[in-house]
Amino acid sequence: MQVCGVQLSSATSRWRESWPPFGGSYECAGHSCCISGSQRPSCRVQCCQVPRCTGNVAHLQKEDKYSCVDRSTSYLHVQTLRNFPIEKLYGEVVLVRLDSVLLLDPLGLFSCSRKRTLSTIKYLYKAGGKVLLVTSWDPVLQSVNPVLKSTESFAEYMSSLLQVKVIPVNGVPCLTSCKKEERVQNDIILFENLLNFRGENANCNDFSQKLASGAAIFVNDSFSLSHKIRASTVGITRFCYASLAGFHFEEELMQLLKINDSTRRPYIAIIGGSNFLRKGPALHLLASQCDELFLVGKLSFQIMNGLGIPVSSCLIEKNATKEVLQLIEIAHNRNIPIYYPTDLWCLNSNNNEQLEIFDSAELLSGLISLGWTPVDIGPSTLERISSLLSSYKKILWIGPTSFDLTEEFSVGATQLGQILNKASHNSCDIILVGVAACKAVKGMSDSSSQYTAFENESIVWEFLKGGILPGIAALDKSYPYQIPWDDVFSDTTQPLFVDIGSGNGLFLFQMARNWEGLNFLGLEMNEKLVVRCLQDVTLAGKRNLYFLSTNATSTFRSIVSSYPGQLTLVSIQCPNPDFNKEQNRWRMVRRMLVEAVADLLQVNGKIYLQSDVESVLLGMKEQFISHGKGQLVVDSDGRMENPFGVVSDWERHVLARGAPMYRTMLRKV
């Protein structure tokens, strides 16, 4: 194993007596730092909940299962309006993306969602924000609902709901489209239907920028569009300093996560619809979580065929055989049953009004060739479902029970809705997914609060398949869990030094060795680098050093605010997230990060900025001075020397070729 050592420069001894340059006395180890080098043990996930350090990498690998970050769902942890400092809303222009369908549903299954959406708007308004509303509605919805006849009629409707004057504005949805008096008045503004602009569905960069112009904060409360890429849900986040989830969005996201929650058992999934191949990964996940599966709709024919039951070729997806057999294997290995319909309502193609009930085996053995087509599950199947559900604590119904899209002959959904309504009175968690499931129970009883409902089926299927939902991924992130600081550091009362963009960690390893009286935290987006750093921390037995894989721009506040001690110094060195585009080199230094640092830094704490590109340094410095709320002043500037006597890898590379480094030290007053 190689050992790489970096001898501290002669300047080190001069600075050690007075450094850290923000005051206080700290223990100093008077020797250079050596850390383990290139041959590192493998480790699949980062560990944030770590045990007391044992120096044993095998122990770190054993604890991987306790990692507080789930790689597959880490993007789901978003900054919410509820957790955003309310004082930061005052005087800001806030653009809110709404779901018009929810707002037009005063009663029934989505009444709670409607109330949460209205609460989002009222909360922002009462907090002193200038609220701008954007939404969309398709021509079909507009033709059947007079409220959507025009922007003016919808604004009048919103005024009655909010008890606040809502001003309609036609034209390109942006603050500059408003009249001067409309901008300064304390009224809410509603913009024209977004579908009137091509840039919305195309996620056009120019349209997104116009949409965000004048708005500092974006609040998404339209969860139903999470699976789509739109200018009003994704593109706009590039131009607002904070992008948050509204109250409705937050609740829907929490309910989505409940689908994977296995604490309520037994858990059964009733799965309908078609296209087994596309849904295969999601079905495999459900088979690994649920205690029983009941397949209806066209999916049931694929399972029956996979189990060796003769099925007419016209009912089989031939390219889905592999996915079907994998599902059967998962269920067999877990010893869970997969049910399918025992009887079916069928329609005679020779007489479109003739409906009869047939046993599934009887139908599949030859009746299809005689003109009978299955349209929905039969009474025996529903009776079987009812007997199963009586003992379950959690039920997921996703997809239609019918075998085609003809609602006229779909009777199974209504009867299944009645069965679920009965189950809801027995403290059973019921999750409804899709238009058919939601419609079957909507307005059926006063127990609708027992349901979790997702009318948009595509969002749930994408989530179950492990796909990224772009509307969620675009929002600012919060760190998913509280850091177990007492397990991370031996003394959490020591001052904290945070290095943003810590890279391979060599800089912080040297710093942690030289100053034992400080705790050092590296925040780095590259997960592989963080895993390696954590392994080296364990090998070195360092209890004043730790690393996290995260985007510090949006998570700095949620991570550092829980630290028991004081934040005394923050460093950002050579931020180059995109070497090919110089204008992006300081994109990590945004207003959200600057305000978080300024708020959390102790008085006389310092911010160290460094880059080999002068324009990058000046850009970072300008952001901190502009958004530091008057709390930050320049302490040292220009061609100042490295104050630590410890150089980063990139700094060493730059100095070796004879190029200059540009540095600035800021101080909080």
Side-chain angles (χ1 to χ4, degrees), residues 166-187:
V166 178
I167 300 175
V169 173
N170 290 302
V172 178
C174 64
L175 196 60
T176 54
S177 298
C178 304
K179 299 176 182 178
K180 186 175 180 180
E181 58 271 20
E182 293 173 341
R183 299 182 202 175
V184 299
Q185 289 173 355
N186 193 32
D187 297 323

Side-chain angles (χ1 to χ4, degrees), residues 567-615:
L567 176 64
T568 195
L569 200 146
V570 175
S571 64
I572 304 176
Q573 305 183 57
C574 304
N576 294 310
D578 190 341
F579 283 97
N580 297 319
K581 297 180 181 180
E582 186 172 323
Q583 67 270 24
N584 289 337
R585 284 189 165 189
W586 58 81
R587 64 185 179 187
M588 63 185 288
V589 184
R590 294 170 49 199
R591 178 179 168 186
M592 172 172 283
L593 174 63
V594 171
E595 289 190 354
V597 172
D599 288 343
L600 298 175
L601 195 65
Q602 72 174 81
V603 175
N604 288 325
K606 297 199 175 183
I607 303 165
Y608 177 63
L609 307 175
Q610 175 179 250
S611 179
D612 58 313
V613 181
E614 187 174 18
S615 60

Side-chain angles (χ1 to χ4, degrees), residues 47 100 189 264 266 287 304 358 374 379 409 497 533 583 614 667:
C47 291
S100 59
I189 291 175
R264 292 280 285 172
M304 295 164 74
F358 292 100
F409 303 110
F497 181 129
C533 288
Q583 67 270 24
E614 187 174 18
R667 178 169 54 87

Side-chain angles (χ1 to χ4, degrees), residues 15 18-24 26 569 604 606 635 643-644 665 667:
W15 278 101
S18 58
W19 195 90
F22 37 80
Y26 305 93
L569 200 146
N604 288 325
K606 297 199 175 183
D635 202 55
F644 310 123
M665 187 76 81
R667 178 169 54 87

Side-chain angles (χ1 to χ4, degrees), residues 634-649:
V634 176
D635 202 55
S636 300
D637 208 353
R639 297 295 294 274
M640 62 175 285
E641 293 186 23
N642 184 324
F644 310 123
V646 177
V647 295
S648 66
D649 270 8

Side-chain angles (χ1 to χ4, degrees), residues 35-36 40-43 45-64 487-488 509 513 530-547:
I35 68 169
S36 57
R40 296 181 172 91
S42 62
C43 179
V45 295
Q46 100 189 46
C47 291
C48 295
Q49 184 176 340
V50 296
R52 294 291 178 182
C53 185
T54 63
N56 188 344
V57 175
H59 186 68
L60 177 63
Q61 292 172 322
K62 182 179 178 182
E63 293 297 324
D64 280 352
D487 292 332
V488 170
F509 267 97
R513 182 66 62 87
V530 168
V531 169
R532 292 173 182 174
C533 288
L534 289 173
Q535 293 168 359
D536 288 341
V537 167
T538 304
L539 284 171
K542 298 301 298 176
R543 294 303 316 284
N544 69 329
L545 174 63
Y546 199 66
F547 295 88

Side-chain angles (χ1 to χ4, degrees), residues 326-568:
Q326 285 178 352
L327 178 64
I328 293 172
E329 182 181 5
I330 294 171
H332 175 75
N333 292 339
R334 292 194 63 230
N335 195 28
I336 66 168
I338 301 179
Y339 298 99
Y340 49 85
T342 55
D343 64 336
L344 304 165
W345 281 100
C346 297
L347 180 68
N348 193 316
S349 58
N350 299 319
N351 182 352
N352 288 335
E353 295 183 357
Q354 185 179 358
L355 278 171
E356 288 192 26
I357 301 170
F358 292 100
D359 180 87
S360 297
E362 182 184 4
L363 170 72
L364 298 173
S365 63
L367 285 175
I368 286 182
S369 61
L370 298 178
W372 290 97
T373 302
V375 293
D376 211 337
I377 55 177
S380 296
T381 301
L382 287 163
E383 186 177 342
R384 177 59 171 155
I385 292 175
S386 180
S387 64
L388 288 173
L389 298 191
S390 61
S391 61
Y392 276 82
K393 295 298 181 183
K394 182 176 178 180
I395 303 168
L396 168 67
W397 174 15
I398 178 170
T401 62
S402 58
F403 295 88
D404 58 29
L405 300 179
T406 309
E407 289 189 20
E408 180 183 356
F409 303 110
S410 180
V411 293
T414 301
Q415 294 175 23
L416 180 55
Q418 294 170 350
I419 294 171
L420 291 179
N421 181 48
K422 182 179 178 181
S424 70
H425 292 283
N426 298 326
S427 300
C428 178
D429 289 343
I430 298 176
I431 303 171
L432 307 172
V433 181
V435 174
C438 293
K439 189 175 181 179
V441 300
K442 188 175 182 179
M444 186 170 289
S445 74
D446 57 359
S447 63
S448 61
S449 60
Q450 299 290 330
Y451 300 121
T452 298
F454 298 95
E455 195 168 74
N456 195 313
E457 200 174 315
S458 299
I459 292 177
V460 178
W461 282 120
E462 283 301 310
F463 170 70
L464 291 173
K465 288 191 295 183
I468 298 294
L469 298 170
I472 300 174
L475 297 177
D476 294 327
K477 300 295 172 283
S478 65
Y479 206 73
Y481 300 100
Q482 289 286 329
I483 310 299
W485 296 111
D486 288 331
D487 292 332
V488 170
F489 298 126
S490 58
D491 184 359
T492 56
T493 64
Q494 292 187 162
L496 182 66
F497 181 129
V498 179
D499 187 35
I500 300 176
S502 53
N504 61 15
L506 294 180
F507 170 78
L508 281 191
F509 267 97
Q510 292 174 303
M511 294 290 287
R513 182 66 62 87
N514 291 344
W515 285 278
E516 296 287 349
L518 287 171
N519 288 334
F520 294 87
L521 177 64
L523 305 180
E524 169 60 45
M525 291 185 67
N526 189 316
E527 296 175 354
K528 292 181 180 179
L529 290 178
V530 168
V531 169
R532 292 173 182 174
C533 288
L534 289 173
Q535 293 168 359
D536 288 341
V537 167
T538 304
L539 284 171
K542 298 301 298 176
R543 294 303 316 284
N544 69 329
L545 174 63
Y546 199 66
F547 295 88
L548 291 174
S549 175
T550 185
N551 179 359
T553 302
S554 58
T555 63
F556 186 93
R557 185 184 298 275
S558 60
I559 293 173
V560 178
S561 61
S562 66
Y563 181 70
Q566 290 189 315
L567 176 64
T568 195

Side-chain angles (χ1 to χ4, degrees), residues 301-340:
F301 294 140
Q302 318 312 318
I303 282 294
M304 295 164 74
N305 180 63
L307 292 172
I309 300 172
V311 178
S312 174
S313 59
C314 65
L315 301 176
I316 299 174
E317 287 183 56
K318 291 187 171 54
N319 57 352
T321 303
K322 181 180 177 181
E323 297 286 345
V324 172
L325 294 178
Q326 285 178 352
L327 178 64
I328 293 172
E329 182 181 5
I330 294 171
H332 175 75
N333 292 339
R334 292 194 63 230
N335 195 28
I336 66 168
I338 301 179
Y339 298 99
Y340 49 85

